[in-house]
Amino acid sequence: MLRSAASAVLLALTLCALPLSAQNSDPLSSYFTGKEVVLKIDMPGTQQGVDLRYNKDNPMNWKEYANRLKSNGAAIHKGDTARVTAVVVKDDRIEFQLDGGGFGTFLDDSNTTVTPKTIEKSSYEKQLERDISNTTDDDKRRQLQRDLDRERSRRERQEADNRAAAQIASQIKAQKVADDRLRGGSRFNLRWSGSIPPDQKNPDAVKKLLADYVSFDGLQTAAAVAPAAHSTAGDAAVPATAHLKRGMKMEEVTNLFGPGKQMSESVSNDGLKTQTMQYVSGDRRVDVTYVEGLVVRYSISSN
């Protein structure tokens, strides 16, 4: 009995010493991860990805799919090559993650609201309020009230500036979140109403289940791709468009591209001025949207 107990302890210690990957190795992950596939459909820019339910005659809910595309945009387009970055097997589903698995996981910041900083009453404003309450002299009270009105106006102007700055920052952040969605990849969620059938937990079965949505022709890993020949093209000067960033001032953009052509201008109910400008840089057209003279979004296309 002592020998049996000792053997059990030794086995437990041996298992604990194994790398986590060795304890939880999965043939699907081992086979697919790191390899490239070609998409047959557009993939939504969200960690929700595309749900395929194999307890139904048609696994794709096209209305749900269309809504996710409309809400999040396409992170991977039909015909694009994507890399399988993870295959996660759970009790009732297989997550087939592409180019990062989709924006919206707990590590992604999807909040687009920037809260303006509140300006507290200054000690001077508080003292004026106390002095007004304590004085019985009408002339002095009027003078103190004028001073208090000026101090309150100063604080209100600063708060208005903070609100305007927060609105601009919110627009910049909203554009960043939108850009991150389009760069965060996507995924397929292969779902069953109960546990996954044992005969579906192998690479050939998964390929068959995804055949209408993914092409596995020429499946290869990064290591299998022949290295490109060295080119001196990379030694060329960095294009001006590479320096364009959200939050830049209009004069900085003008320094990059030269004078632009104004396409539109408007003022919001809050008094924020929005301008859309178009620039030409070599064979590229650059459309930039400014709010109060700061870049909040831009797009680059062929001229």
Side-chain angles (χ1 to χ4, degrees):
M1 182 177 293
L2 289 174
R3 283 197 298 272
S4 298
S7 298
V9 172
L10 181 59
L11 177 59
L13 291 173
T14 302
L15 288 173
C16 290
L18 286 173
L20 186 61
S21 59
Q23 297 179 46
N24 297 299
S25 60
D26 175 73
L28 292 178
S29 180
S30 299
Y31 179 83
F32 286 112
T33 301
K35 294 181 178 178
E36 292 182 338
V37 297
V38 177
L39 277 302
K40 295 182 179 180
I41 61 172
D42 291 338
M43 296 296 295
T46 167
Q47 93 286 0
Q48 293 178 306
V50 174
D51 286 331
L52 300 172
R53 297 176 175 86
Y54 293 101
N55 59 316
K56 299 185 177 181
D57 292 337
N58 185 354
M60 172 71 89
N61 182 329
W62 290 103
K63 182 177 180 180
E64 177 185 74
Y65 167 77
N67 288 338
R68 289 182 184 175
L69 270 181
K70 185 176 181 180
S71 299
N72 302 284
I76 309 171
H77 293 272
K78 177 181 177 180
D80 284 352
T81 298
R83 192 169 302 284
V84 182
T85 48
V87 178
V88 181
V89 179
K90 299 188 177 180
D91 291 339
D92 62 346
R93 70 182 183 275
I94 298 171
E95 296 177 1
F96 196 83
Q97 301 184 17
L98 303 167
D99 288 348
F103 181 86
T105 64
F106 71 96
L107 292 175
D108 295 321
D109 180 9
S110 58
N111 179 25
T112 60
T113 301
V114 177
T115 304
K117 181 181 178 182
T118 300
I119 305 299
E120 302 292 340
K121 291 182 180 181
S122 66
S123 57
Y124 178 50
E125 184 176 347
K126 293 177 182 178
Q127 183 61 53
L128 287 169
E129 290 174 337
R130 287 193 295 269
D131 291 344
I132 289 173
S133 298
N134 294 332
T135 187
T136 58
D137 185 301
D138 290 342
D139 289 339
K140 185 175 182 181
R141 183 189 296 274
R142 283 192 290 270
Q143 179 59 49
L144 289 170
Q145 186 62 54
R146 286 193 291 270
D147 292 342
L148 178 59
D149 291 342
R150 282 194 294 270
E151 182 63 14
R152 283 177 176 170
S153 295
R154 181 200 63 79
R155 176 166 56 85
E156 289 168 358
R157 286 194 300 272
Q158 193 168 355
E159 287 185 332
D161 289 343
N162 288 351
R163 286 194 297 271
Q167 289 182 44
I168 295 171
S170 293
Q171 292 194 40
I172 292 174
K173 194 171 184 185
Q175 186 62 33
K176 181 181 183 303
V177 168
D179 291 347
D180 288 345
R181 283 191 182 281
L182 300 183
R183 291 197 299 264
S186 193
R187 69 179 66 185
F188 288 98
N189 300 302
L190 288 64
R191 297 181 179 274
W192 287 264
S193 55
S195 59
I196 304 171
D199 62 352
Q200 303 298 297
K201 294 183 179 180
N202 65 78
D204 287 338
V206 170
K207 287 182 184 180
K208 185 175 180 180
L209 292 170
L210 289 173
D212 289 339
Y213 318 102
V214 178
S215 171
F216 294 94
D217 295 341
L219 195 72
Q220 58 184 351
T221 62
V225 180
H230 176 71
S231 172
T232 58
D235 297 332
V238 177
T241 51
H243 298 287
L244 184 59
K245 300 289 186 294
R246 287 183 295 272
M248 290 179 70
K249 296 179 180 179
M250 184 181 289
E251 52 264 35
E252 293 177 303
V253 179
T254 301
N255 289 338
L256 277 177
F257 305 122
K261 178 183 178 182
Q262 181 166 295
M263 308 302 292
S264 66
E265 180 178 307
S266 62
V267 178
S268 71
N269 293 334
D270 299 310
L272 295 179
K273 182 179 179 181
T274 299
Q275 297 166 278
T276 302
M277 302 287 292
Q278 190 174 95
Y279 304 88
V280 175
S281 178
D283 61 347
R284 300 290 181 182
R285 186 180 73 243
V286 185
D287 294 289
V288 182
T289 300
Y290 300 92
V291 175
E292 291 298 302
L294 297 177
V295 177
V296 296
R297 66 179 64 90
Y298 60 87
S299 63
I300 302 170
S301 57
S302 298
N303 191 13

